[in-house]
Amino acid sequence: MANRSFAYRASFKTVLLAAVLFVITIILIAVGGGKIVEHGAVDYTRQSLGTSMRDVQSVIYETEYTAAAIAMSAEESYRNGAFLDSLRGFSLLDKTLVNNPGFLGCGFYFEPYRYDGINCHSYMYANREPGSNEISHEWGDEEEFLSDGWECYTRDWYYTAVNTGKPSWKSPFLEYFEISDEDKLVSTYSYPMTDADGVVFGIFAIDLYLDWIYDKLVEMRPYSKSNVVIADSSLNVICNPLAEKPFEGSLYDVPFIPQMSLTAVRESGPMNIKELAGNSGSVSVHSGGHGALLVADVMDNGWIICVSSLFEDVFADLISLWLIIIALAFVTLILLFFLNRHTIRKLAAPIKDFATAASKITDGRFDIPIPEVNTGDELTELGNALSFMQKSVTDYIEQLKSTTAEKERLKSELDVARNIQSQMLNRQFPKLEKAGIYADSIPAREVGGDLFDFFVNDNELYFIIGDVSGKGVPAALLMAITIAAFRATGKKGHSPVDIVSLINDTFCRSNDDMMFVTAVVGKIDMNTGLMEFCNAGHNPMLVISPDGHSQYIHAKRNLVCGVMEGFAYEGETYQLQTGGSRLIIYTDGITEAEDRNKALYGEDRLMEWANSQMPSSQNDLQAVDGIVASVRKFTDGAVQNDDITLMSISI
């Protein structure tokens, strides 16, 4: 892209921006459209489900109504003493089968010793083979029940109705038929018959042929690859057209979603078909690169119908629409690129002339003529700005020559000031028999305002550390005055209070800029460890005892030097333990050092460092370097905002 023209790059970025906006729009449309299509698919599936459920339930209702009507007729006869004989009973059963082609059989079954009469039987049953009009009869007498019993008493369709006194459906089962030589799906509906006292004396049962459900489920599929499955309340399959054996198994062990294995469905997440059907809701299942939408409902008799439709069917029309939109957008973006490039190239022609002129100006040809453009828009303003720049650059070069010379002079002066300041700081640390000392100062600029000094006079170690307000050359000058006053008065044997007072008065007499200095001046008797000091508004000194215990020496409140001439400073004394004590004196460049988040190093962190040290384990140089390293680690490369100065004295 580096060698492409401006028109090409502008067109490319315009088309790229349009493509990004288009993709965002498509995503929003896809998400919103997907939700709409999914809701529509659920509604459409639920409508199909409702229609088919009504068809299935109409057969169920017809069976229940027929059984209720015949059972109540038999109850009425029983209560009136008109027993149901064989002729009347089988006639009633035959008419029931003839009028209801979906019934495979029906019959009366009576409790032992509850039904007596001439030509009466303990059970009467009429049945026929599927697809056949020939009806056969079966019956049994009381003696047959008494001798070895009959299996109907042990069948759930019988004892459930007798024990509960309520009609019940038996879970569908496969029954073998000789004529067709195949198993057929059958369900039994049992209706209990009661006497005048409400005691069950028998049941009337109908065997309903259910193979037609297969065709009904295939017919009700909302999409070509959908599957509709019916299961009982225990999720045992009544009919699953997708399975190799449509009338066997359960939803726990037989695949029922197109193109998804049962294992894959389980791994995609827990599915509770009962809960789904109970809430009449829908759920999405994803597995193996496929997705499916499940919709379920519960019939009045407790059977569950579940419809599963693949997303590729549900979203087929929407995907086709997306592809059309994407293809049109792709063609539109290409046309937009070429038309936009042509337009921009024509409009940007003056910019090319401006670029040529600017390039020659940068080569030093400041007299090159600037092309005139009178379009009345930004290009005209650009031409005027370029002409102004040409004149400004010419003037600036002339000014730069004189400014550069002035900066070189100032730089030379700063170098001299820095050298003078460096020489003012006493870096000749003597090897003392009863004490040790080391100090260092790291300026924040070329010339700093912090200071330190020391000397030995009659077995007494004098020291000063201070911080002049401000930075640069003015601070360096005041620093030089402070050090000169310290040396002049200290070597004459004056006390720290006298030294600080002299420094203060000297500052106040010629301090039109209202600058000031904070300082600690002290002297230590190297034999006894007694320290006299005066703190003029400076940071508290830190002392580390030989056993490693640390504490700050909080001084009396004295003014900083340079504020009030003649101020009465107060001095103090502190007894240092000889044989292993260390005194740390520092400026606020230590405690006010900031990290990248503007947090301060602070006195607490300095105390933590001191508590981790034993004075006897290191010399003064190592102590100073250790504190500086601790500060550097805390600031983590942040810009140094103040001079850093500190001194270590060991006794």
Side-chain angles (χ1 to χ4, degrees):
M1 295 295 294
N3 297 325
R4 302 292 187 182
S5 66
F6 170 77
Y8 179 92
R9 290 184 287 109
S11 301
F12 178 80
K13 291 182 178 180
T14 301
V15 172
L16 181 62
L17 178 60
V20 171
L21 294 176
F22 169 74
V23 170
I24 294 174
T25 304
I26 285 294
I27 292 175
L28 294 176
I29 293 175
V31 173
K35 293 294 183 183
I36 294 174
V37 170
E38 183 175 348
H39 289 316
V42 172
D43 293 340
Y44 172 59
T45 302
R46 194 163 298 288
Q47 291 174 3
S48 301
L49 191 63
T51 301
S52 300
M53 283 178 60
R54 286 192 292 273
D55 293 343
V56 174
Q57 290 190 146
S58 64
V59 178
I60 302 298
Y61 293 155
E62 183 180 357
T63 303
E64 293 176 348
Y65 293 153
T66 301
I70 295 175
M72 286 189 288
S73 175
E75 286 178 338
E76 186 67 23
S77 298
Y78 183 84
R79 293 170 184 175
N80 294 331
F83 299 108
L84 192 66
D85 59 21
S86 301
L87 180 61
R88 182 165 170 254
F90 282 118
S91 175
L92 188 58
L93 296 177
D94 291 348
K95 288 180 180 180
T96 302
L97 294 181
V98 171
N99 293 331
N100 297 276
F103 294 174
L104 289 176
C106 55
F108 295 97
Y109 303 88
F110 304 104
E111 288 282 273
Y113 305 111
R114 293 305 305 273
Y115 204 84
D116 295 322
I118 302 173
N119 296 322
C120 295
H121 302 290
S122 293
Y123 77 92
M124 290 177 285
Y125 177 70
N127 71 308
R128 63 184 169 197
E129 293 275 350
S132 173
N133 293 324
E134 183 177 349
I135 299 175
S136 60
H137 299 148
E138 295 181 16
W139 64 88
D141 295 328
E142 192 72 41
E143 292 78 7
E144 193 173 347
F145 284 102
L146 297 175
S147 60
D148 56 1
W150 191 63
E151 61 179 353
C152 73
Y153 291 125
T154 62
R155 299 294 180 90
D156 56 354
W157 56 266
Y158 183 90
Y159 67 73
T160 300
V162 171
N163 291 337
T164 63
K166 297 179 181 179
S168 65
W169 280 95
K170 171 181 169 48
S171 296
F173 58 94
L174 291 174
E175 184 170 328
Y176 176 74
F177 292 89
E178 295 182 358
I179 294 179
S180 59
D181 190 27
E182 60 181 341
D183 294 329
K184 297 292 185 180
L185 188 66
V186 179
S187 181
T188 301
Y189 180 70
S190 305
Y191 194 99
M193 299 178 293
T194 60
D195 58 18
D197 296 326
V199 179
V200 176
F201 66 85
I203 69 166
F204 177 74
I206 296 177
D207 291 334
L208 179 63
Y209 173 61
L210 295 177
D211 269 18
W212 54 272
I213 288 182
Y214 183 96
D215 298 330
K216 175 60 67 176
L217 297 185
V218 173
E219 178 185 336
M220 70 177 287
R221 293 184 303 179
Y223 303 99
S224 60
K225 296 180 182 179
S226 299
N227 184 45
V228 185
V229 59
I230 294 184
D232 62 18
S233 59
S234 299
L235 297 186
N236 294 314
V237 170
I238 296 174
C239 184
N240 179 13
L242 181 68
E244 183 177 351
K245 296 181 179 180
F247 307 113
E248 298 182 19
S250 72
L251 297 187
Y252 293 115
D253 53 27
V254 176
F256 60 93
I257 301 178
Q259 301 184 16
M260 289 191 189
S261 67
L262 191 64
T263 301
V265 171
R266 287 172 177 167
E267 291 176 351
S268 70
M271 274 197 323
N272 192 329
I273 300 298
K274 286 186 179 181
E275 182 178 345
L276 175 63
N279 295 330
S280 297
S282 62
V283 69
S284 298
V285 179
H286 302 270
S287 179
H290 296 285
L293 183 69
L294 301 186
V295 178
D297 211 338
V298 183
M299 297 174 59
D300 291 344
N301 64 345
W303 292 357
I304 297 173
I305 298 184
C306 181
V307 181
S308 56
S309 303
L310 291 177
F311 282 165
E312 59 191 67
D313 280 347
V314 174
F315 297 104
D317 293 339
L318 183 61
I319 293 174
S320 299
L321 178 61
W322 289 344
L323 293 176
I324 293 173
I325 293 175
I326 291 173
L328 291 175
F330 181 75
V331 174
T332 302
L333 291 174
I334 292 177
L335 292 176
L336 176 63
F337 172 78
F338 287 105
L339 292 175
N340 200 37
R341 187 178 68 169
H342 174 74
T343 303
I344 294 176
R345 181 180 293 172
K346 184 176 181 180
L347 294 175
I351 297 178
K352 184 177 181 181
D353 296 335
F354 290 150
T356 301
S359 176
K360 292 180 179 179
I361 290 175
T362 57
D363 291 338
R365 297 177 58 184
F366 301 112
D367 57 344
I368 190 74
I370 305 300
E372 295 185 4
V373 177
N374 298 316
T375 57
D377 54 15
E378 292 85 351
L379 292 178
T380 299
E381 295 179 2
L382 178 61
N384 295 335
L386 192 59
S387 298
F388 178 77
M389 181 196 71
Q390 184 183 37
K391 183 178 182 303
S392 298
V393 168
T394 303
D395 295 341
Y396 175 75
I397 290 175
E398 294 300 322
Q399 295 176 5
L400 185 61
K401 292 179 180 179
S402 60
T403 302
T404 302
E406 180 67 17
K407 284 187 175 180
E408 289 295 328
R409 184 183 65 79
L410 291 176
K411 182 177 182 300
S412 177
E413 291 180 358
L414 283 175
D415 290 340
V416 172
R418 183 172 59 251
N419 292 333
I420 293 174
Q421 182 188 38
S422 177
Q423 293 173 7
M424 290 288 293
L425 297 178
N426 187 359
R427 298 185 182 276
Q428 301 297 322
F429 304 105
K431 294 183 179 180
L432 304 175
E433 181 180 352
K434 299 180 179 181
I437 185 170
Y438 185 81
D440 196 8
S441 182
I442 305 171
R445 296 185 183 178
E446 290 86 351
V447 181
D450 282 3
L451 61 100
F452 70 83
D453 198 9
F454 62 91
F455 61 85
V456 177
N457 187 14
D458 294 334
N459 206 39
E460 291 181 328
L461 175 62
Y462 284 76
F463 65 88
I464 183 174
I465 192 166
D467 184 0
V468 180
S469 62
K471 301 289 185 293
V473 175
L477 293 175
L478 290 180
M479 170 197 133
I481 294 173
T482 303
I483 292 177
F486 167 74
R487 291 179 179 176
T489 55
K491 290 187 177 181
K492 292 181 180 180
H494 289 287
S495 68
V497 172
D498 295 336
I499 296 173
V500 172
S501 297
L502 177 62
I503 293 173
N504 175 60
D505 294 342
T506 303
F507 268 38
C508 290
R509 293 190 188 100
S510 56
N511 189 13
D512 296 335
D513 295 331
M514 294 302 294
M515 298 182 70
F516 60 89
V517 61
T518 68
V520 175
V521 177
K523 68 175 181 177
I524 301 174
D525 188 324
M526 291 184 287
N527 290 325
T528 64
L530 180 64
M531 176 176 64
E532 297 180 33
F533 69 95
C534 180
N535 188 322
H538 198 75
N539 300 80
M541 294 182 287
L542 177 65
V543 61
I544 309 174
S545 62
D547 60 0
H549 176 71
S550 303
Q551 66 177 11
Y552 284 105
I553 303 176
H554 294 285
K556 294 181 179 180
R557 297 180 179 273
N558 287 320
L559 279 179
V560 298
C561 296
V563 175
M564 180 185 296
E565 185 176 1
F567 179 81
Y569 286 91
E570 295 185 53
E572 301 177 63
T573 61
Y574 186 87
Q575 181 63 53
L576 297 171
Q577 298 181 42
T578 58
S581 293
R582 170 163 286 119
L583 184 67
I584 302 294
I585 314 105
Y586 56 92
T587 62
D588 57 7
I590 294 290
T591 55
E592 295 180 6
E594 296 179 349
D595 64 6
R596 297 178 184 273
N597 298 320
K598 301 299 181 181
L600 300 180
Y601 183 79
E603 293 181 352
D604 291 341
R605 286 189 176 84
L606 182 59
M607 178 67 78
E608 288 179 7
W609 175 89
N611 286 332
S612 66
Q613 310 298 313
M614 290 295 292
S616 60
S617 64
Q618 55 185 202
N619 56 36
D620 296 290
L621 169 62
Q622 292 171 333
V624 169
D625 289 345
I627 295 176
V628 172
S630 176
V631 173
R632 296 296 190 207
K633 181 179 180 181
F634 171 78
T635 57
D636 190 25
V639 177
Q640 181 179 335
N641 58 357
D642 198 0
D643 302 333
I644 293 176
T645 302
L646 70 159
M647 177 184 291
S648 173
I649 300 175
S650 56
I651 295 295

